[in-house]
Amino acid sequence: MPVLDTLAIRDILPHRYPMLLVDRIVELEADRIVGIKNVTANEPFFMGHFPDFPVMPGVLIIEAMAQVAGVLVLKGIPDRKSKVVLLASIDNAKFRRPVVPGDQLRIEMRVVKRKASIAKMAGQATVDGQVVAEAEMMCKLADRAGADAPAT
């Protein structure tokens, strides 16, 4: 049973299809989170990356990791509708093996250091228990432009 399903994630993150890369959150603690991304053959990026050998782009794996981290940062903020988490830096990113259609990414992120508007996160993405990517990243909490405007 997910801790947060897709609807709950969409209530926290501003991302929408095709850029929402988190399907569910299965573990959520104060400084640690685990999210799932089901990689399917109909992902739009597979049409061009690569048609004869579909591989999930590393930059999108990092984006999925950042989104899971963003859920952790935003979940504990009462006025999160007026905030957005921005990716500020990526360090020590490593890609261990390709991610292909049919894989399920298990993304585990943890807080290394947190200040008022900055969080340093570290984590890894695995498929069937094998590490496919790892990275450290800095996230910045910012005011969302037009947050007071009604949604359209």
Side-chain angles (χ1 to χ4, degrees):
M1 193 75 176
V3 173
L4 298 174
D5 63 11
T6 303
L7 294 176
I9 293 167
R10 287 178 49 168
D11 189 50
I12 296 168
L13 293 179
H15 305 77
R16 296 296 179 261
Y17 178 84
M19 285 307 299
L20 181 59
L21 300 174
V22 184
D23 293 320
R24 66 183 180 268
I25 301 298
V26 294
E27 296 179 37
L28 182 60
E29 300 168 9
D31 289 331
R32 184 181 157 277
I33 189 170
V34 177
I36 300 295
K37 165 62 177 153
N38 294 307
V39 181
T40 63
N42 62 348
E43 304 280 357
F45 50 81
F46 284 138
M47 291 188 321
H49 198 268
F50 305 98
D52 296 330
F53 182 66
V55 175
M56 184 175 184
V59 68
L60 292 181
I61 297 170
I62 294 293
E63 174 65 23
M65 294 171 73
Q67 288 181 21
V68 170
V71 170
L72 180 60
V73 170
L74 287 170
K75 183 69 175 145
I77 296 174
D79 62 340
R80 68 175 175 248
K81 296 285 186 196
S82 67
K83 303 292 183 185
V84 65
V85 176
L86 302 173
L87 186 59
S89 71
I90 303 165
D91 293 313
N92 302 316
K94 295 179 178 67
F95 302 96
R96 305 293 184 190
R97 78 168 193 83
V99 175
V100 298
D103 284 348
Q104 184 181 71
L105 280 177
R106 181 183 187 277
I107 301 163
E108 182 173 348
M109 300 298 295
R110 63 181 170 76
V111 175
V112 174
K113 184 188 273 188
R114 186 181 284 178
K115 293 185 179 180
S117 65
I118 301 279
K120 182 172 184 177
M121 312 288 285
Q124 63 180 19
T126 60
V127 172
D128 296 329
Q130 293 186 331
V131 176
V132 296
E134 57 191 281
E136 296 171 359
M137 54 190 67
M138 191 84 68
C139 304
K140 175 161 180 43
L141 190 63
D143 290 328
R144 188 186 294 198
D148 294 332
T152 57

